[in-house]
Amino acid sequence: MQNSKNSRRKPAITVCRSDHAKLSDLATAAEASAPEAAEELLGELDRARIVADGSLPARIARIGSTVEYKPDTGEARTVTLVLPGQADIAAGRVSVLTPIGTALIGLAAGQTISWTARDGRRHDLTVLAVGQPEPAKVERNWSQHTAIGAA
């Protein structure tokens, strides 16, 4: 049975196999320090369609992607999805462990999702565009995250 905050049907999402494994590990590691965020990320990963590495379409948001989206609360925004230790709201870098970061993972341009903010309010956002980072940069960021053990 779904809880009330997830009662609306969510759009299909897609994640590549290595990102799925890494994000699962990240969420599991965060369960003690950020249980709600970890639970939400694990829930998204559980419902994701997993594809082989290299088969993830460029239009799909993943760690390192730059995502332009339109929230129901105002004008379009552009953010880059990052690991928790790299987050900097002022620089437009949003952690995948935040409610909005978790909501964006696996979405493609044109998809809309409802998500719950930390204050408990429901919001909708629509992805307008997704840009991908260089593959070497994504792997370097994962390596740095793993080396410092940030979660």
Side-chain angles (χ1 to χ4, degrees):
M1 182 169 138
Q2 291 184 329
N3 61 33
S4 62
K5 73 177 183 177
N6 292 324
S7 60
R8 258 192 191 163
R9 186 169 183 90
K10 292 187 175 188
I13 60 173
T14 305
V15 178
C16 69
R17 186 169 284 114
S18 65
D19 280 4
H20 188 275
K22 292 170 183 173
L23 288 168
S24 293
D25 289 347
L26 175 69
T28 300
E31 284 179 315
S33 61
E36 289 180 14
E39 179 183 349
E40 190 66 28
L41 181 54
L42 287 169
E44 289 297 282
L45 294 171
D46 282 347
R47 69 184 196 82
R49 181 177 137 239
I50 303 167
V51 298
D53 292 357
S55 295
L56 187 70
R59 61 186 172 79
I60 303 290
R62 62 179 295 191
I63 292 291
S65 295
T66 299
V67 182
E68 181 182 7
Y69 68 93
K70 171 95 171 75
D72 59 1
T73 58
E75 296 187 24
R77 297 179 183 156
T78 301
V79 299
T80 300
L81 294 174
V82 299
L83 299 170
Q86 301 162 339
D88 181 347
I89 297 298
R93 293 191 304 263
V94 175
S95 168
V96 68
L97 279 177
T98 63
I100 199 157
T102 296
L104 290 169
I105 285 291
L107 291 178
Q111 286 186 296
T112 299
I113 191 168
S114 293
W115 60 283
T116 303
R118 288 185 175 138
D119 64 6
R121 288 189 286 177
R122 298 284 296 164
H123 297 282
D124 291 329
L125 65 81
T126 300
V127 175
L128 303 174
V130 176
Q132 296 302 333
E134 299 168 29
K137 185 175 182 181
V138 171
E139 190 55 41
R140 187 171 54 247
N141 287 342
W142 276 117
S143 297
Q144 290 172 348
H145 176 76
T146 302
I148 59 174

